[in-house]
Amino acid sequence: DLPAHGGSDAGEAPTVEPAAADIAELVEALDLEGAIGVGWSMGATLLWQVLTGAAADRFAGAVVIDMTARVLNDAGWALGLSPEACEARSAAIRDDFERFAIDAGQAIFAQPVDGGTRTLADWASFEFARNDPRTIAALWASLVRQDVRALLERIEHPTLVVHGAQSRLYGEDTADHLVAALPNARAVRFERSGHAPHLEQSELFNQSLTDFADRLFRDRADRNEEV
C-alpha cells in the first residue's frame, strides 16, 4: 500500500518523494531482480521517480496507466488539469472527504457508469473512503507540484503506456506525449475504459501485461545469448 491507503497508516511519507523512496527501499529489501513496475495515476509518478533512482537497475520494464508527466496545466502545458480543477479537488478533499471519495470512485470509470460497472464503482468509492483524508490531501498537493518531464528521457526501461479512451482526466494526446518523451515506449488504448483500464477491462489488461512481459523477457534472453 501507499501511505494511508488500504491497510497502511500514514507513516512518514505524506509526499511523493518519500513515498517513492519507500517503494525503492521495499524493492531492495525484497532483493527483486527483473521486476516490472506497474503504476496507475499517482503510482506512475512514483514509479518514474523509482526508475530514475538507486533501485532502477532492479526493474526490467514499466507499465504506466492513464497518467501525465505534469498534473497542473499552465501557459506552456495543457496535458494535465486546469488550475481550477486542481483547486476544486483540493477543496473537495478538505471540505467533505466522504463526498469526494464517493464521487472519485465513480468518476474513474467510463461514464455513465452502467449496471455492469456499478458494483465495481461502489467498491472503488468504499476503498477511497477508507483512506486518511489529511494524508490524501498532502499527497494530492505534492502530486500537483510534480513535474517529471525531465525524468522521462532518462528512463530507458521498455514501457507500456496504457490509456483509457474515455478517461475524464487525460486524453490520447497525453499518452502520445509519454510515448514520444520516453526512449522506449509504446501505447495501448482501451476503448471501453476511463481512468482505470486495469479494472474496467481487466481481462484485456491482464493479457496486455502478460504479452508485454513475455516479449520483454524474450528480448532479454536473446540479448544474453548474443553476449
Side-chain angles (χ1 to χ4, degrees):
D1 297 334
L2 294 177
H5 288 70
S8 298
D9 60 25
E12 299 297 328
T15 57
V16 165
E17 290 82 1
D22 283 350
I23 295 171
E25 183 178 350
L26 176 64
V27 169
E28 296 285 354
L30 295 175
D31 195 24
L32 297 184
E33 297 290 346
I36 296 177
V38 181
W40 171 39
S41 197
M42 181 174 68
T45 299
L46 300 182
L47 181 58
W48 287 323
Q49 298 268 358
V50 173
L51 294 179
T52 52
D57 289 344
R58 292 187 174 274
F59 287 84
V63 179
V64 297
I65 306 170
D66 210 59
M67 190 48 180
T68 181
R70 182 180 182 183
V71 170
L72 181 63
N73 287 343
D74 60 20
W77 177 255
L79 299 180
L81 306 176
S82 70
E84 294 78 14
C86 291
E87 176 53 38
R89 176 163 292 197
S90 298
I93 294 171
R94 179 184 65 243
D95 297 340
D96 190 347
F97 185 75
E98 183 176 0
R99 181 73 259 168
F100 162 78
I102 292 172
D103 291 345
Q106 307 297 309
I108 64 174
F109 297 98
Q111 302 295 311
V113 175
D114 58 26
T117 311
R118 174 62 59 193
T119 299
L120 191 58
D122 290 344
W123 168 83
S125 293
F126 173 79
E127 289 297 316
F128 272 115
R130 294 177 60 202
N131 297 333
D132 176 68
R134 287 175 297 180
T135 304
I136 296 302
L139 283 169
W140 168 247
S142 176
L143 182 64
V144 170
R145 294 192 297 269
Q146 299 297 312
D147 184 350
V148 302
R149 286 177 289 180
L151 296 182
L152 298 183
E153 63 184 19
R154 295 166 47 195
I155 299 173
E156 297 183 356
H157 304 74
T159 301
L160 186 66
V161 176
V162 175
H163 167 59
Q166 300 185 52
S167 174
R168 301 174 69 190
L169 294 176
Y170 310 116
E172 189 169 0
D173 50 354
T174 305
D176 290 343
H177 168 263
L178 293 179
V179 171
L182 290 159
N184 188 3
R186 65 181 182 88
V188 57
R189 176 184 170 100
F190 285 67
E191 296 293 342
R192 296 188 290 104
S193 291
H195 184 52
H198 58 301
L199 298 176
E200 295 173 88
Q201 293 179 262
S202 57
E203 291 186 7
L204 178 58
F205 177 83
N206 290 340
Q207 187 60 57
S208 299
L209 179 57
T210 299
D211 292 344
F212 176 69
D214 286 345
R215 184 164 47 251
L216 183 63
F217 290 112
R218 187 167 56 249
D219 290 345
R220 283 164 61 92
D222 291 343
R223 287 196 299 271
N224 289 336
E225 288 181 4
E226 291 174 1
V227 172

